[in-house]
Amino acid sequence: MEKLIITAALTGAEVTRDLQPNLPITPDEIAQEAYDAYKAGASIVHIHARDEEGNPTQSFEVYREIKEKIEAKCNIIFQPSTGGAVWHSPEDRLQPVELKPEMATLSCGTCNFGPDVFMNSEGYMEKFASRMKELGVKPEMEIFERGMIENAKKLVKKGLAVAPLHFDFVLGVPGACPATPEDLLHMVKAIPEGSTWTVAGLGRHELSLATMAILLGGHVRVGFEDNIYYNKGQLANSNAQLVERIVRIANELGREVATPDEARKILGIGR
Ligand code: KMH
Ligand code: ZN
């Protein structure tokens, strides 16, 4: 089995310091948290930037500062969000792609997102995909619902994305696909042969779906964006603490953990 790629989703757009006092917000805090996650075993960091008030921002400048600060510390793969927050415009969301990161997320359809709607029309998905292709940015296809896999395949068919694709199943968003083992299996069976995949189970589902992914040959995303707890009622101390647990489980189950360079090879980055 391929080595395990662990992504640390450090901040997200929805979590606040009131909910998780250890949430990294400033570029310095995010870079330090990325470095700690890297030392713990993460090979990708999924980044959401925040402005000086702590609100989500898709500012090119803030992402640039974060990217430079992380790169000064380690060679972890920098993966900015193009999902942003539900209220960001598509134009704003696309800004960090102009930094030409090795990877960026690409949400593959519209769904309910708690009380809100996370809008991803076909036209904008195509725009995001083609800009990423032009700049040589590997998209991570964010899948919140089963039909979104078909949207991702359509991007390949239209020549806007290149197979093999890398998918991230984000399961357990209120209003979208639940995070049961059966739901994950359904998703895994639906992606084209040769694809790679990771799973981000929300809240208490993070650990069970991560363990399934380790066993099934998939990859794992953990972090405060998806889950702020270590155990029921016990907040996590850091993103690194959540990464460390995945490394321990992988070791127990006999799955080796990938370094950033090994992750690059598995994902075909920089070929
Ligand atoms: N914050 C969500 C509305 C991504 O990063 O690409 C979208 C999101 C997806 O987090
Ligand atoms: Zn995100």
Side-chain angles (χ1 to χ4, degrees):
M1 217 182 257
E2 269 168 352
K3 289 192 181 181
L4 178 72
I5 299 170
I6 303 174
T7 300
L10 305 179
T11 303
E14 291 79 27
V15 181
T16 62
R17 273 268 165 82
D18 288 343
L19 294 169
Q20 172 43 278
N22 302 312
L23 188 74
I25 286 180
T26 66
D28 281 318
E29 288 166 355
I30 291 174
Q32 184 60 45
E33 194 80 355
Y35 182 55
D36 292 344
Y38 158 79
K39 280 190 298 178
S43 47
I44 301 176
V45 268
H46 173 64
I47 300 292
H48 284 256
R50 299 288 179 104
D51 65 17
E52 281 170 7
E53 278 79 52
N55 296 315
T57 176
Q58 287 296 104
S59 156
F60 174 86
E61 285 305 329
V62 182
Y63 274 99
R64 179 163 67 184
E65 194 181 342
I66 296 169
K67 182 171 183 279
E68 286 174 0
K69 288 195 153 128
I70 293 173
E71 283 171 356
K73 289 180 185 292
C74 61
N75 71 342
I76 195 165
I77 298 168
F78 172 80
Q79 182 203 77
S81 170
T82 68
V86 288
W87 45 267
H88 282 132
S89 71
E91 290 73 21
D92 271 353
R93 284 169 48 185
L94 202 46
Q95 288 185 71
V97 169
E98 300 302 314
L99 286 166
K100 300 188 192 156
E102 290 176 284
M103 292 183 94
T105 54
L106 200 173
S107 292
C108 288
T110 298
C111 62
N112 280 21
F113 203 91
D116 302 306
V117 176
F118 183 36
M119 283 293 299
N120 294 285
S121 69
E122 185 173 40
Y124 277 113
M125 283 187 280
E126 291 181 357
K127 197 171 163 193
F128 280 36
S130 63
R131 191 64 184 142
M132 288 189 204
K133 192 169 172 230
E134 274 164 18
L135 296 177
V137 179
K138 168 108 182 170
E140 177 178 276
M141 315 314 263
E142 305 299 300
I143 305 296
F144 298 80
E145 287 282 11
R146 165 67 182 85
M148 295 187 190
I149 294 172
E150 303 311 304
N151 296 339
K153 284 161 61 180
K154 205 165 163 188
L155 292 173
V156 174
K157 224 175 183 173
K158 289 189 169 177
L160 301 172
V162 181
L165 292 177
H166 179 59
F167 292 90
D168 177 25
F169 305 123
V170 185
L171 302 183
V173 171
C177 184
T180 69
E182 290 79 8
D183 285 301
L184 177 59
L185 288 175
H186 186 50
M187 296 285 190
V188 172
K189 281 186 189 150
I191 58 177
E193 215 180 313
S195 307
T196 49
W197 62 273
T198 190
V199 67
L202 264 67
R204 67 193 166 87
H205 302 291
E206 183 172 84
L207 194 55
S208 52
L209 295 191
T211 307
M212 277 183 74
I214 294 168
L215 293 169
L216 289 169
H219 303 282
V220 171
R221 181 173 109 171
V222 293
F224 290 165
E225 174 164 348
D226 306 323
N227 167 43
I228 58 176
Y229 292 101
Y230 190 76
N231 275 319
K232 192 172 175 182
Q234 181 196 344
L235 288 169
N237 298 330
S238 64
N239 282 283
Q241 188 190 24
L242 298 169
V243 173
E244 279 161 10
R245 174 163 59 182
I246 298 303
V247 172
R248 279 200 306 276
I249 295 171
N251 286 339
E252 290 291 332
L253 294 172
R255 182 106 185 256
E256 285 182 81
V257 173
T259 63
D261 282 341
E262 288 167 342
R264 287 181 175 91
K265 272 210 183 106
I266 293 166
L267 298 172
I269 294 174
R271 247 186 225 149

